[in-house]
Amino acid sequence: FLLVFGSLSDVMTTSWVDAAKLAAETARTGRPRQVYEPGWWAQVLSTKPVPSAASLKKLCKKPCRIGMPDEWRGLAWLHLSGGGELQQQQPRLYDVTCKYAFGAPFAELPLNTLREAPAANFGSTFDAPTRTLLTEAGLLRLRCVLGCVGVEFTQAEYCPWLPLVAAHCLHWMDDRDTFYTLCALLHDPSPLIQTRLQSWLLLASFHTLSHSLCPRALRLLCERQGAPYPPPYAPGHPLEGAVTDWIPNHLAFWPLTRVLDLLLVEGAKIWYRANLALLQDWHTLMISTGGALATRTTTSSSAGSEDAGSAAAAAAIAAAATAATAAARPEASLSSSLSSPGTNSSPFLTRRARALTSTDVLAQVLQHQEEQRQQQGAQHQEQQQQQQ
């Protein structure tokens, strides 16, 4: 029973995770409780040797869609990324890199050295101090790991998803395993964006999927942003936040954990599915509220509540789950996938996965962007006045 349902103390066993923040976040958004046979995960991850990353992804595809146990998540992420194999091949890589970057291995580093060291953000907008559940010690470990990765991969100057993945890994593993996980993810083929060209290609692909699967949602978003429809590929594109901002800075902890579970198994297409779910669910909220930026909390799937909010979330997740298959099959349409959700065997339709998205996420994003524009305008006016 405890393996399936567990308690908060079973989830985070590391001392650098803030238990109070975790409890508050879990109370606010709920926690997914459905997992796929913890005994199966124990058997697969305890075998010697552990299957390769490619074989493990094939084995874990269905179990991961149902749910990954918290107690096995750290080890699963390490081996799904290929970090376990890298750690066996180069066991001293982390210590050598840390010594080169900061002057000593992590265990011997003074805290002041890490505090004063420049933070490597890889061009990310991810706000680690406020978005993670890490204590100050955890944030220092995060800074150390990102600094070591920056030294090891000097060509990866732009990787906006990397700090997000690193911060989340530290909830389930130590800094050494986190380092090897990130290094393995950065090897080709990588599910992470590593160049600005790739970010524009992702934006173009997401624009195409949104235009095909959620045209009404995209049109409404363009109207809200004051952009033409369809919007041109240029800075200020209405979907620009989907590449670097929506998921890292506005998705709750447990839904974000589920997104990363699936990302490591199925690749970058999970980002398309999750962002499509956010876009479609925001459109549903705007229509149901008559365009008002209403705030609605996501109910926990374990409570068994079947209210309108859960139905809207399930519909949005169903649309996102069919995004990849619809792109491969032109005859598939969003309306047909939503009209018969009971016949869709997608894992996103499971009751306990309905909390993948929060219905007010995109509304918060748009409000945040508007506040940033106002602040930038005020700063620009002050600079002009000072110059005059």
Side-chain angles (χ1 to χ4, degrees):
F1 178 83
L2 287 176
L3 284 175
V4 178
F5 293 93
S7 64
L8 292 180
S9 60
D10 297 328
V11 181
M12 307 299 182
T13 58
T14 54
S15 59
W16 50 86
V17 174
D18 194 323
K21 289 183 179 179
L22 171 64
E25 181 71 10
T26 304
R28 184 176 69 89
T29 62
R31 172 185 166 195
R33 293 178 176 268
Q34 182 177 4
V35 296
Y36 181 86
E37 298 181 12
W40 181 90
W41 291 94
Q43 181 180 359
V44 171
L45 296 174
S46 299
T47 56
K48 300 296 182 181
V50 178
S52 64
S55 301
L56 197 59
K57 288 178 182 178
K58 294 180 181 179
L59 289 173
C60 295
K61 188 172 183 178
K62 179 181 177 181
C64 186
R65 287 180 169 184
I66 296 176
M68 186 180 293
D70 296 327
E71 61 270 20
W72 291 104
R73 179 169 283 115
L75 192 60
W77 284 11
L78 177 65
H79 290 289
L80 284 169
S81 64
E85 300 175 19
L86 181 62
Q87 191 172 18
Q88 292 178 358
Q89 297 170 2
Q90 305 181 49
R92 298 187 65 251
L93 179 62
Y94 179 57
D95 292 331
V96 172
T97 308
C98 189
K99 185 175 182 180
Y100 181 83
F102 299 101
F106 179 80
E108 304 173 7
L109 271 178
L111 294 181
N112 290 335
T113 303
L114 286 176
R115 290 192 183 100
E116 296 172 359
N121 64 353
F122 297 91
S124 173
T125 60
F126 177 63
D127 188 5
T130 58
R131 287 287 296 155
T132 62
L133 307 179
L134 300 175
T135 61
E136 183 183 0
L139 293 174
L140 290 178
R141 287 176 181 269
L142 175 63
R143 176 170 293 197
C144 179
V145 169
L146 291 177
C148 292
V149 172
V151 169
E152 182 65 19
F153 292 87
T154 56
Q155 74 280 7
E157 297 179 357
Y158 181 78
C159 189
W161 297 349
L162 194 65
L164 161 69
V165 178
H168 230 68
C169 283
L170 283 172
H171 291 89
W172 313 102
M173 59 183 77
D174 60 12
D175 50 287
R176 180 180 297 273
D177 290 346
T178 299
F179 171 78
Y180 283 106
T181 299
L182 298 181
C183 289
L185 287 174
L186 288 175
H187 281 105
D188 194 43
S190 173
L192 305 179
I193 296 174
Q194 297 191 40
T195 64
R196 297 188 183 276
L197 175 60
Q198 289 180 353
S199 67
W200 278 103
L201 292 176
L202 187 146
L203 174 61
S205 301
F206 184 62
H207 170 90
T208 303
L209 283 173
S210 302
H211 185 66
S212 301
L213 301 174
C214 310
R216 294 181 180 177
L218 180 58
R219 185 184 293 274
L220 181 59
L221 181 61
C222 291
E223 292 177 359
R224 288 279 172 175
Q225 294 281 8
Y229 178 82
Y233 295 114
H237 192 287
L239 297 176
E240 191 174 9
V243 180
T244 59
D245 189 55
W246 291 3
I247 292 177
N249 290 327
H250 298 277
L251 205 57
F253 174 80
W254 289 109
L256 183 55
T257 301
R258 174 140 178 80
V259 169
L260 293 179
D261 285 344
L262 296 170
L263 174 72
L264 291 175
V265 176
E266 302 189 38
K269 65 183 179 182
I270 296 302
W271 290 96
Y272 295 105
R273 295 181 180 183
N275 281 310
L276 280 170
L278 291 175
L279 179 62
Q280 180 64 20
D281 201 18
W282 171 80
H283 177 256
T284 303
L285 173 64
M286 298 300 291
I287 296 300
S288 62
T289 58
L293 294 179
T295 302
R296 197 170 57 188
T297 57
T298 305
T299 58
S300 173
S301 57
S302 59
S305 176
E306 299 293 337
D307 59 359
S310 297
I317 294 169
T322 58
T325 54
R329 296 183 291 107
E331 68 276 6
S333 63
L334 178 63
S335 58
S336 62
S337 64
L338 295 179
S339 60
S340 55
T343 60
N344 194 331
S345 59
S346 168
F348 286 85
L349 289 176
T350 58
R351 279 186 57 200
R352 301 183 187 273
R354 288 181 181 174
L356 177 65
T357 62
S358 176
T359 54
D360 61 333
V361 166
L362 193 51
Q364 294 176 0
V365 172
L366 297 178
Q367 186 176 2
H368 178 67
Q369 291 177 349
E370 183 63 27
E371 292 176 355
Q372 284 185 334
R373 291 195 192 96
Q374 293 177 359
Q375 292 177 359
Q376 291 175 358
Q379 292 176 357
H380 183 65
Q381 289 180 356
E382 290 180 0
Q383 291 177 357
Q384 287 182 342
Q385 291 177 359
Q386 291 176 359
Q387 292 175 358
Q388 291 177 357

